[in-house]
Amino acid sequence: AERLEKKVYSLLVLNKMGYLQDIAPEGKTLNMASVINKVILSMKVVKQDINITTVLNPVNFHGEEEPWRIVVENLVDNALRYAKSRITISLHEDELYVENDGKSIPQEHMSKLFSPYAKGNEGQFGLGLSIVKRIVDLHKFKISVESQEEVGTVFTITIPQEKGLRISK
């Protein structure tokens, strides 16, 4: 029942993101370190054998808390699923990184990673990363992924400077 509820919620969020626009008032800032800390606090008990390390500088992102919380939850949930022993979350002036030390993502999966219903070996529904991509795109940010054998995988969300979106600390 819980898995079905989570899947239905993910489908609703995915569809909702297709119709929403960025409704945050101009100049509104969101303390991303606070959002990240809330997510970690709620998810730390999921896999207690995984060490979660954070480097969180005081950085504000544009937008409302709910969508960004969903982004962080999905990235951390994904990292927990694949990590061997550690996850590192770093928040710097123009970037958010979520890194794990798990297996690399096969190259043939990289191009479909953010597509709905595309899932890895241990994925659940294939919706989490597509939701992340829609929210990031909605806010005119960029997301990328790098994955290498023996190093792990890192998802990076970047504030594009050319759009005049530099967000103050």
Side-chain angles (χ1 to χ4, degrees):
E2 287 177 18
R3 284 187 56 186
L4 183 58
E5 181 181 354
K6 187 173 180 178
K7 184 174 185 176
V8 169
Y9 179 75
S10 293
L11 284 168
L12 289 172
V13 169
L14 183 64
N15 285 325
K16 185 169 128 180
M17 288 297 117
Y19 296 104
L20 289 182
Q21 295 180 3
D22 180 6
I23 58 171
E26 189 71 27
K28 181 173 182 180
T29 56
L30 174 65
N31 180 336
M32 279 303 289
S34 173
V35 172
I36 293 166
N37 280 325
K38 287 178 189 176
V39 169
I40 291 170
L41 187 61
S42 69
M43 296 184 88
K44 225 173 192 174
V45 295
V46 174
K47 269 189 155 177
Q48 295 180 354
D49 57 327
I50 302 294
N51 181 30
I52 300 176
T53 305
T54 59
V55 178
L56 304 177
N57 291 297
V59 177
N60 295 320
F61 274 21
H62 171 77
E64 299 289 330
E65 181 171 341
E66 173 77 6
W68 285 113
R69 183 188 52 74
I70 291 169
V71 166
V72 176
E73 280 178 352
N74 279 314
L75 291 176
V76 172
D77 184 50
N78 195 59
L80 281 168
R81 193 173 303 121
Y82 293 99
K84 291 178 192 171
S85 62
R86 68 169 176 80
I87 295 171
T88 304
I89 303 170
S90 302
L91 179 63
H92 300 284
E93 185 174 352
D94 298 320
E95 294 177 313
L96 167 62
Y97 302 94
V98 178
E99 179 180 1
N100 73 69
D101 64 347
K103 295 178 186 176
S104 66
I105 299 170
Q107 195 60 37
E108 63 270 14
H109 293 186
M110 293 293 273
S111 64
K112 298 177 184 174
L113 204 57
F114 296 107
S115 300
Y117 310 110
K119 61 181 183 175
N121 295 337
E122 297 177 43
Q124 291 180 334
F125 308 116
L127 295 173
L129 290 178
S130 61
I131 291 170
V132 166
K133 174 86 166 117
R134 281 205 185 173
I135 294 170
V136 168
D137 288 350
L138 177 71
H139 289 87
K140 297 181 177 58
F141 287 47
K142 301 290 180 200
I143 187 163
S144 61
V145 60
E146 291 181 44
S147 189
Q148 298 175 8
E149 203 63 49
E150 303 301 321
V151 178
T153 301
V154 61
F155 286 87
T156 305
I157 296 176
T158 308
I159 302 170
Q161 298 304 311
E162 68 277 3
K163 301 279 186 192
L165 289 174
R166 185 173 195 95
I167 306 300
S168 64
K169 290 183 182 180

